[in-house]
Amino acid sequence: MYTEKVLDHFQNPRNVGKIEDADGIGEIGSPQCGDVMKIYIKVDENEIITDLKFQTYGCGAAVSSSSVASTLIIGKSVEQALKFKNKDALEVLGGLPTEKIHCSVLAEEAIKAAIWDYSQKTGKQFAGLKGYKPDANH
């Protein structure tokens, strides 16, 4: 059912936690399954995401998706991070069961929501956010 990569990221999640002085925070939940992801980001003066921590309440696929997303986003520019898609996490994880793919979509949305929060706090505009407004009940 789950690949070894999914199990590894579930049993040994990377970057779990909270950033107290986060530059951006995004929280997305899925009423259909009860998964909730909260992502915290730190962004430096060059618009590079230097740290990302997450708190995820949910199934193994949700935790694994958050963990993989964190490893793919840290060190990327904000604009690069906005190009992150759920398929990027699915590729690293070796896929998820069809009924769990929405977990990887939550990770994509939580990252975008954290960057949106950062843009609201700083007044900075990013092309990847054009027309975006987060929906906490994704």
Side-chain angles (χ1 to χ4, degrees), residues 41-52 69 72-84 111 115 118 126-128:
I41 58 171
K42 284 297 281 181
V43 182
D44 73 10
E45 65 278 355
N46 297 314
E47 303 300 331
I48 303 296
I49 297 174
T50 58
D51 198 8
L52 184 155
L72 294 173
I73 297 301
I74 294 172
K76 301 281 193 249
S77 71
V78 170
E79 286 292 358
Q80 288 172 319
L82 285 167
K83 293 177 183 172
F84 172 82
I111 289 165
I115 294 171
Y118 169 69
F126 299 99

Short mmCIF file of all heavy atoms in Angstrom, two decimals, residues 41-52 69 72-84 111 115 118 126-128:
data_model
loop_
_atom_site.label_atom_id
_atom_site.label_comp_id
_atom_site.label_asym_id
_atom_site.label_seq_id
_atom_site.Cartn_x
_atom_site.Cartn_y
_atom_site.Cartn_z
N ILE A 41 7.71 29.14 7.78
CA ILE A 41 8.90 29.38 6.96
C ILE A 41 9.70 30.57 7.49
O ILE A 41 9.15 31.50 8.07
CB ILE A 41 8.55 29.63 5.47
CG1 ILE A 41 7.59 30.82 5.30
CG2 ILE A 41 8.02 28.38 4.81
CD1 ILE A 41 7.37 31.26 3.85
N LYS A 42 11.01 30.49 7.28
CA LYS A 42 11.94 31.60 7.50
C LYS A 42 12.51 31.95 6.13
O LYS A 42 12.91 31.06 5.37
CB LYS A 42 13.10 31.20 8.42
CG LYS A 42 12.76 31.12 9.88
CD LYS A 42 12.33 32.43 10.47
CE LYS A 42 13.47 33.35 10.78
NZ LYS A 42 13.01 34.62 11.39
N VAL A 43 12.53 33.24 5.84
CA VAL A 43 13.00 33.73 4.54
C VAL A 43 14.09 34.76 4.79
O VAL A 43 13.93 35.66 5.61
CB VAL A 43 11.82 34.37 3.76
CG1 VAL A 43 12.29 34.83 2.38
CG2 VAL A 43 10.66 33.39 3.63
N ASP A 44 15.22 34.62 4.06
CA ASP A 44 16.31 35.58 4.25
C ASP A 44 16.16 36.80 3.34
O ASP A 44 15.19 36.90 2.57
CB ASP A 44 17.67 34.90 4.10
CG ASP A 44 18.04 34.52 2.67
OD1 ASP A 44 17.33 34.93 1.72
OD2 ASP A 44 19.06 33.82 2.51
N GLU A 45 17.14 37.70 3.42
CA GLU A 45 17.08 38.96 2.66
C GLU A 45 17.13 38.75 1.15
O GLU A 45 16.78 39.62 0.37
CB GLU A 45 18.20 39.91 3.10
CG GLU A 45 19.61 39.42 2.82
CD GLU A 45 20.16 38.42 3.86
OE1 GLU A 45 19.49 38.16 4.87
OE2 GLU A 45 21.26 37.91 3.62
N ASN A 46 17.56 37.56 0.70
CA ASN A 46 17.61 37.24 -0.73
C ASN A 46 16.38 36.46 -1.19
O ASN A 46 16.39 35.88 -2.28
CB ASN A 46 18.88 36.46 -1.05
CG ASN A 46 20.13 37.28 -0.77
OD1 ASN A 46 20.20 38.44 -1.16
ND2 ASN A 46 21.09 36.69 -0.08
N GLU A 47 15.36 36.42 -0.35
CA GLU A 47 14.11 35.69 -0.64
C GLU A 47 14.33 34.18 -0.77
O GLU A 47 13.63 33.50 -1.52
CB GLU A 47 13.42 36.23 -1.91
CG GLU A 47 13.10 37.70 -1.88
CD GLU A 47 12.18 38.11 -0.74
OE1 GLU A 47 11.35 37.31 -0.29
OE2 GLU A 47 12.30 39.26 -0.28
N ILE A 48 15.28 33.67 0.01
CA ILE A 48 15.53 32.22 0.06
C ILE A 48 14.88 31.68 1.32
O ILE A 48 15.04 32.25 2.41
CB ILE A 48 17.05 31.90 0.07
CG1 ILE A 48 17.75 32.50 -1.15
CG2 ILE A 48 17.29 30.39 0.19
CD1 ILE A 48 17.31 31.95 -2.48
N ILE A 49 14.17 30.57 1.18
CA ILE A 49 13.57 29.92 2.35
C ILE A 49 14.68 29.13 3.04
O ILE A 49 15.15 28.12 2.52
CB ILE A 49 12.38 29.03 1.95
CG1 ILE A 49 11.29 29.90 1.34
CG2 ILE A 49 11.86 28.23 3.16
CD1 ILE A 49 10.11 29.16 0.77
N THR A 50 15.11 29.64 4.18
CA THR A 50 16.25 29.05 4.89
C THR A 50 15.82 27.98 5.88
O THR A 50 16.63 27.16 6.30
CB THR A 50 17.05 30.13 5.64
OG1 THR A 50 16.17 30.81 6.55
CG2 THR A 50 17.65 31.13 4.65
N ASP A 51 14.55 27.99 6.27
CA ASP A 51 14.05 26.98 7.19
C ASP A 51 12.56 26.79 6.95
O ASP A 51 11.85 27.73 6.58
CB ASP A 51 14.32 27.38 8.64
CG ASP A 51 14.22 26.21 9.61
OD1 ASP A 51 14.10 25.04 9.16
OD2 ASP A 51 14.26 26.46 10.83
N LEU A 52 12.12 25.59 7.16
CA LEU A 52 10.71 25.25 7.07
C LEU A 52 10.46 24.15 8.09
O LEU A 52 11.16 23.15 8.11
CB LEU A 52 10.35 24.76 5.66
CG LEU A 52 8.88 24.44 5.39
CD1 LEU A 52 8.57 24.58 3.91
CD2 LEU A 52 8.46 23.08 5.88
N ALA A 69 7.92 17.54 1.32
CA ALA A 69 7.81 18.92 0.86
C ALA A 69 8.84 19.80 1.55
O ALA A 69 9.49 20.64 0.91
CB ALA A 69 6.40 19.45 1.10
N LEU A 72 12.22 19.45 0.03
CA LEU A 72 12.30 20.00 -1.32
C LEU A 72 12.29 21.53 -1.35
O LEU A 72 12.76 22.13 -2.31
CB LEU A 72 11.14 19.47 -2.17
CG LEU A 72 11.14 17.97 -2.46
CD1 LEU A 72 9.85 17.56 -3.15
CD2 LEU A 72 12.36 17.58 -3.28
N ILE A 73 11.76 22.16 -0.30
CA ILE A 73 11.58 23.61 -0.29
C ILE A 73 12.73 24.35 0.38
O ILE A 73 13.12 25.44 -0.07
CB ILE A 73 10.24 23.97 0.41
CG1 ILE A 73 9.07 23.40 -0.39
CG2 ILE A 73 10.11 25.47 0.62
CD1 ILE A 73 8.96 23.88 -1.82
N ILE A 74 13.29 23.79 1.45
CA ILE A 74 14.39 24.49 2.15
C ILE A 74 15.53 24.72 1.17
O ILE A 74 15.97 23.81 0.47
CB ILE A 74 14.86 23.69 3.38
CG1 ILE A 74 13.74 23.64 4.43
CG2 ILE A 74 16.13 24.30 3.97
CD1 ILE A 74 14.04 22.72 5.60
N GLY A 75 16.01 25.98 1.13
CA GLY A 75 17.10 26.35 0.23
C GLY A 75 16.64 26.91 -1.10
O GLY A 75 17.45 27.38 -1.89
N LYS A 76 15.34 26.86 -1.36
CA LYS A 76 14.79 27.38 -2.61
C LYS A 76 14.37 28.84 -2.42
O LYS A 76 14.05 29.27 -1.32
CB LYS A 76 13.56 26.58 -3.04
CG LYS A 76 13.82 25.11 -3.27
CD LYS A 76 14.46 24.87 -4.60
CE LYS A 76 14.42 23.41 -4.97
NZ LYS A 76 15.67 22.74 -4.96
N SER A 77 14.31 29.57 -3.52
CA SER A 77 13.79 30.92 -3.46
C SER A 77 12.27 30.84 -3.28
O SER A 77 11.65 29.79 -3.54
CB SER A 77 14.10 31.68 -4.75
OG SER A 77 13.33 31.17 -5.82
N VAL A 78 11.68 31.94 -2.85
CA VAL A 78 10.23 31.98 -2.68
C VAL A 78 9.54 31.65 -4.01
O VAL A 78 8.61 30.86 -4.05
CB VAL A 78 9.78 33.35 -2.13
CG1 VAL A 78 8.27 33.51 -2.19
CG2 VAL A 78 10.28 33.54 -0.71
N GLU A 79 10.02 32.25 -5.10
CA GLU A 79 9.40 31.98 -6.41
C GLU A 79 9.55 30.50 -6.80
O GLU A 79 8.62 29.92 -7.35
CB GLU A 79 9.99 32.89 -7.50
CG GLU A 79 9.53 34.32 -7.40
CD GLU A 79 8.05 34.55 -7.73
OE1 GLU A 79 7.31 33.62 -8.08
OE2 GLU A 79 7.62 35.72 -7.62
N GLN A 80 10.71 29.89 -6.51
CA GLN A 80 10.87 28.47 -6.80
C GLN A 80 9.91 27.64 -5.95
O GLN A 80 9.31 26.68 -6.43
CB GLN A 80 12.31 28.02 -6.53
CG GLN A 80 13.31 28.52 -7.53
CD GLN A 80 14.74 28.21 -7.09
OE1 GLN A 80 15.08 28.34 -5.91
NE2 GLN A 80 15.57 27.84 -8.04
N ALA A 81 9.77 28.01 -4.69
CA ALA A 81 8.88 27.28 -3.79
C ALA A 81 7.43 27.36 -4.26
O ALA A 81 6.66 26.41 -4.10
CB ALA A 81 9.01 27.81 -2.36
N LEU A 82 7.06 28.49 -4.84
CA LEU A 82 5.70 28.64 -5.35
C LEU A 82 5.42 27.73 -6.55
O LEU A 82 4.27 27.49 -6.89
CB LEU A 82 5.43 30.10 -5.73
CG LEU A 82 5.20 31.03 -4.54
CD1 LEU A 82 5.25 32.48 -4.97
CD2 LEU A 82 3.88 30.70 -3.85
N LYS A 83 6.47 27.20 -7.15
CA LYS A 83 6.30 26.27 -8.28
C LYS A 83 6.16 24.82 -7.79
O LYS A 83 5.91 23.92 -8.60
CB LYS A 83 7.48 26.40 -9.24
CG LYS A 83 7.50 27.74 -9.94
CD LYS A 83 8.70 27.88 -10.85
CE LYS A 83 8.70 29.27 -11.47
NZ LYS A 83 9.94 29.53 -12.20
N PHE A 84 6.32 24.60 -6.49
CA PHE A 84 6.17 23.25 -5.93
C PHE A 84 4.75 22.76 -6.19
O PHE A 84 3.79 23.47 -5.94
CB PHE A 84 6.45 23.26 -4.42
CG PHE A 84 6.13 21.97 -3.74
CD1 PHE A 84 7.03 20.92 -3.77
CD2 PHE A 84 4.91 21.78 -3.09
CE1 PHE A 84 6.73 19.71 -3.14
CE2 PHE A 84 4.61 20.58 -2.47
CZ PHE A 84 5.52 19.54 -2.50
N ILE A 111 2.18 25.23 1.79
CA ILE A 111 3.39 26.00 1.43
C ILE A 111 2.97 27.32 0.80
O ILE A 111 3.47 28.39 1.17
CB ILE A 111 4.29 25.19 0.48
CG1 ILE A 111 4.94 24.02 1.26
CG2 ILE A 111 5.35 26.08 -0.17
CD1 ILE A 111 5.55 22.97 0.38
N ILE A 115 3.66 31.19 2.22
CA ILE A 115 4.29 32.24 1.41
C ILE A 115 3.33 33.43 1.27
O ILE A 115 3.75 34.59 1.31
CB ILE A 115 4.75 31.69 0.05
CG1 ILE A 115 5.87 30.66 0.27
CG2 ILE A 115 5.21 32.82 -0.87
CD1 ILE A 115 6.26 29.88 -0.97
N TYR A 118 3.61 35.39 4.38
CA TYR A 118 4.87 36.15 4.32
C TYR A 118 4.69 37.39 3.45
O TYR A 118 5.11 38.49 3.83
CB TYR A 118 6.00 35.25 3.78
CG TYR A 118 7.25 35.99 3.42
CD1 TYR A 118 8.06 36.56 4.40
CD2 TYR A 118 7.64 36.12 2.09
CE1 TYR A 118 9.23 37.25 4.06
CE2 TYR A 118 8.81 36.79 1.75
CZ TYR A 118 9.59 37.35 2.73
OH TYR A 118 10.74 38.03 2.41
N PHE A 126 4.67 38.43 -5.32
CA PHE A 126 5.31 37.31 -6.01
C PHE A 126 4.39 36.85 -7.14
O PHE A 126 3.18 36.68 -6.93
CB PHE A 126 5.58 36.15 -5.04
CG PHE A 126 6.50 36.54 -3.92
CD1 PHE A 126 5.99 36.88 -2.67
CD2 PHE A 126 7.86 36.59 -4.11
CE1 PHE A 126 6.83 37.26 -1.64
CE2 PHE A 126 8.71 36.98 -3.09
CZ PHE A 126 8.20 37.31 -1.85
N ALA A 127 4.97 36.65 -8.30
CA ALA A 127 4.19 36.26 -9.47
C ALA A 127 3.38 34.99 -9.21
O ALA A 127 2.24 34.88 -9.64
CB ALA A 127 5.11 36.06 -10.67
N GLY A 128 3.95 34.06 -8.48
CA GLY A 128 3.27 32.80 -8.21
C GLY A 128 2.07 32.91 -7.29
O GLY A 128 1.33 31.95 -7.11
#
